Amino acid sequence: MENKCSVLMIDDEQNLCKLIAKKLQKSGFHTHAAYTGEKGIEMAKTLDIDVVILDYMLPDMTGIDVLKKLKEVTQSKVIMLTAYGNVESAVQSMKIGAADYLNKPIELEELKNIIASLCTEKQSDAVMEKDKDFISKSPEMNKLVEMVEYVKDTDASILILGESGVGKTAMAKWIHEQSHRKNNPFVAINCAAIPEALLESELFGYRKGAFTGAASSQKGKFSAADGGTIFLDEIGEVSLSMQAKLLHVIEEKKVMQLGSNEYESLDVRIISATNKPLQQLVEQKKFREDLYYRLNLMEITIPPLRHRKEDIEPLIHHHMIKLNAKYNKTLAVSNAALQQLISYDWPGNIRELLNAIERVHILKRHGTIELSDLTYLFNKQESHSYRNQPVKAKQTNLSHALGEVEEEMIKTALEEMKGNQTKAAQKLGIARHTLIYKMKKMGLKF
């Protein structure tokens, strides 16, 4: 798969530029070269560049001067290169806005990994700026989004159907954020997670002394959502008696707290969701037909992830940005690993995908997530020797468990590379000195 990342090299060493370009082009990167600072700035203005590799010493100006100009005219990530490395210049360039700083001679594989990470950040910035958007590229989801556009500013109730983990809650939040109610509360409640005896008080609230333990009055979810949207997740799990009470609230647009004799007027939009066949439950008399039609002025069925694989890549990139910020890393995903993730059917849908990505992210120190990092995610695939010796299920110490997995991955990499520490470190996505340190700490000898 072609890499959409575009890289500009600004360096008067033409042979080095050609060497870097050859390395990057093999991995699918688009490359451009400028041999003066002025030409580099001009190209950065006119081309859509993701990453700039900038030499510190140029024939017409310093790299610092070029960096200052680049920050004015482009959002590109900048990597500073120099044969005259010192702490002062590194600090200065990072303060101005350089994303990284490397000394010559450079390791081309390390440079490629850094560029891949920065490209993921750069190309996902738009996604982060539109974090309230529903992430989708598939025709199926785009049709749903277009359909929602027609009713987003109405008060029509919406029923969202789909398998567990497909993104029903995300869709409900997106609808709220697109509506005229976006500045008012979005209140979600999982009807299946609350015992029947407590659900009524959670939804409608209660007055002090309404029942044993009610030491003070409590506003219900409906009242808390007044002016905004209430999201009733797993609505198919609600009992028939509770369904009747919900129907009354929806029809009358009023709610009465437990222990009170007064109704409170409501202005709430209702979005509900379930992974159960609600119409079938209506036919079986397990769900009220009148409530079904009240909730179902508009019905949205979200297809499972296996039927919209076009959405997997943007979901991964979006989640990687969040994880990099959460764990203070700059990881990227290789094309081979991305293709493997796309090819999997993900029976647990988006929830399973994001969980898997976070597990890999936790175990990877830096660099790029490669195909070899994914082997333990898929039970049906062949895996390395560490896969045959899993961490015991009863292990409760996270750091110890991760340490065991890390040691097995290091052993496997060293075995595959026949003890070559440099190649093993590259395979693991870590620096050679880091690998040596970990080997000493673990008592490993190769």
Side-chain angles (χ1 to χ4, degrees), residues 31-46:
T31 62
H32 309 273
Y35 306 126
T36 66
E38 185 178 351
K39 181 63 175 177
I41 294 168
E42 179 185 337
M43 293 177 72
K45 287 180 180 178
T46 57

Side-chain angles (χ1 to χ4, degrees), residues 194-237:
I194 301 174
E196 173 71 19
L198 299 178
L199 185 57
E200 184 176 0
S201 61
E202 281 290 318
L203 288 172
F204 309 139
Y206 55 85
R207 290 287 182 89
K208 180 179 179 180
F211 51 84
T212 303
S216 61
S217 297
Q218 179 67 48
K219 183 185 291 188
K221 300 296 185 184
F222 271 97
S223 296
D226 191 32
T229 303
I230 188 168
F231 176 52
L232 304 174
D233 198 9
E234 302 296 349
I235 192 66
E237 302 291 339

Side-chain angles (χ1 to χ4, degrees), residues 8 20 55 62-63 86 227 244 270 294 301 325 337 414 444:
L8 171 63
I20 294 174
D55 188 27
T62 69
N86 59 68
I270 298 174
R294 282 289 187 180
T301 301
L414 288 166
L444 300 179

Side-chain angles (χ1 to χ4, degrees), residues 33-195:
Y35 306 126
T36 66
E38 185 178 351
K39 181 63 175 177
I41 294 168
E42 179 185 337
M43 293 177 72
K45 287 180 180 178
T46 57
L47 298 174
D48 184 14
I49 301 297
D50 293 298
V51 176
V52 176
I53 304 171
L54 175 60
D55 188 27
Y56 190 75
M57 295 298 293
L58 294 165
D60 56 338
M61 60 181 76
T62 69
I64 292 293
D65 292 331
V66 176
L67 177 60
K68 290 177 180 177
K69 288 288 186 180
L70 289 176
K71 300 310 291 184
E72 294 175 1
V73 301
T74 179
Q75 297 296 314
S76 304
K77 307 288 185 179
V78 181
I79 302 171
M80 293 292 294
L81 295 182
T82 181
Y84 310 95
N86 59 68
V87 175
E88 289 78 12
S89 59
V91 171
Q92 186 180 7
S93 63
M94 297 299 277
K95 281 184 176 180
I96 296 171
D100 213 327
Y101 187 97
L102 299 174
N103 290 327
K104 294 180 179 179
I106 56 173
E107 280 285 342
L108 293 182
E109 186 68 20
E110 180 184 4
L111 178 62
K112 186 199 79 171
N113 289 337
I114 292 172
I115 291 171
S117 297
L118 293 176
C119 280
T120 299
E121 289 184 28
K122 170 67 167 54
Q123 294 175 345
S124 298
D125 281 348
V127 175
M128 292 301 289
E129 288 170 5
K130 299 178 181 178
D131 197 35
K132 293 178 181 177
D133 285 354
F134 196 80
I135 301 169
S136 171
K137 287 176 62 178
S138 65
E140 295 88 348
M141 290 305 299
N142 288 338
K143 287 179 183 178
L144 289 182
V145 170
E146 287 176 11
M147 186 167 60
V148 170
E149 288 285 341
Y150 291 111
V151 296
K152 66 181 184 181
D153 286 323
T154 72
D155 290 329
S157 58
I158 297 175
L159 175 62
I160 305 175
L161 304 176
E163 295 178 5
S164 180
V166 294
K168 296 188 289 294
T169 301
M171 174 61 85
K173 288 180 179 177
W174 182 81
I175 293 171
H176 172 74
E177 293 294 343
Q178 303 304 307
S179 74
H180 65 87
R181 296 175 176 268
K182 62 184 178 182
N183 294 323
N184 294 316
F186 175 87
V187 178
I189 183 167
N190 188 322
C191 299
I194 301 174

Side-chain angles (χ1 to χ4, degrees), residues 196-317:
E196 173 71 19
L198 299 178
L199 185 57
E200 184 176 0
S201 61
E202 281 290 318
L203 288 172
F204 309 139
Y206 55 85
R207 290 287 182 89
K208 180 179 179 180
F211 51 84
T212 303
S216 61
S217 297
Q218 179 67 48
K219 183 185 291 188
K221 300 296 185 184
F222 271 97
S223 296
D226 191 32
T229 303
I230 188 168
F231 176 52
L232 304 174
D233 198 9
E234 302 296 349
I235 192 66
E237 302 291 339
V238 175
S239 69
L240 287 170
S241 62
M242 180 57 67
Q243 290 174 33
K245 295 172 183 177
L246 278 174
L247 179 63
H248 183 268
V249 171
I250 294 170
E251 289 181 335
E252 300 297 327
K253 293 183 172 54
K254 293 180 179 179
V255 65
M256 181 187 292
Q257 291 183 327
L258 294 179
S260 173
N261 295 318
E262 299 176 356
Y263 280 102
E264 176 187 349
S265 296
L266 291 173
D267 174 23
V268 176
R269 190 206 198 140
I270 298 174
I271 301 177
S272 52
T274 182
N275 58 11
K276 289 195 170 185
L278 214 54
Q279 193 165 13
Q280 186 177 328
L281 293 179
V282 169
E283 294 170 359
Q284 296 171 353
K285 308 296 183 184
K286 294 180 179 179
F287 198 89
R288 292 181 63 110
E289 186 175 20
D290 46 6
L291 178 59
Y292 173 71
Y293 288 119
R294 282 289 187 180
L295 296 173
N296 191 20
L297 284 179
M298 180 178 181
E299 184 177 296
I300 297 174
T301 301
I302 302 180
L305 197 54
R306 61 184 174 276
H307 292 163
R308 49 184 176 107
K309 289 183 176 288
E310 302 95 328
D311 292 340
I312 294 177
E313 182 174 353
L315 283 166
I316 290 172
H317 288 319

